[in-house]
Amino acid sequence: VQLRLKLGMSESDRAESCVIVVRVGEATMGLVVDRVSDVVSFSADSVDDVPDFGHTVPQFLLGVEKSAGRVRLLLDIDRVMSGTTLMPTRIAA
């Protein structure tokens, strides 16, 4: 599954890509991604709720992890894989 397309992004023209393996429910599948920069372990207490991004709510984010001086956005892979193409939801002002 091409993650860029699931997130409503254009297809990449990069010659190289990576496949990450995920488990969604009982299914195991591969996601094609542009690159992997880190593989980290962290505790649940380092994960915060998704901050308010204004009028756009990224429905596919699970939380924000902060450790080792870095901030990482965590994808809710179950939600990403449950729909067709995901787009951020707009909230009426």
Side-chain angles (χ1 to χ4, degrees):
V1 175
Q2 291 190 25
L3 188 56
R4 291 180 65 83
L5 300 180
K6 288 294 284 186
L7 297 175
M9 299 168 67
S10 63
E11 193 167 347
S12 175
D13 58 357
R14 290 176 49 110
E16 297 179 17
S17 59
C18 299
V19 176
I20 58 173
V21 178
V22 297
R23 179 175 291 274
V24 178
E26 296 295 317
T28 301
M29 60 186 71
L31 297 177
V32 178
V33 299
D34 291 349
R35 66 181 167 268
V36 175
S37 60
D38 287 319
V39 177
V40 297
S41 296
F42 52 86
S43 63
D45 62 343
S46 69
V47 178
D48 294 330
D49 292 335
V50 177
D52 181 8
F53 287 106
H55 297 299
T56 301
V57 179
Q59 64 181 348
F60 46 83
L61 291 181
L62 183 63
V64 177
E65 190 274 333
K66 300 174 189 173
S67 63
R70 299 208 40 200
V71 176
R72 295 175 181 90
L73 300 177
L74 306 177
L75 284 179
D76 184 338
I77 200 64
D78 290 327
R79 185 171 281 171
V80 169
M81 298 310 296
S82 68
T84 52
T85 299
L86 294 176
M87 297 297 287
T89 303
R90 297 233 176 243
I91 298 175

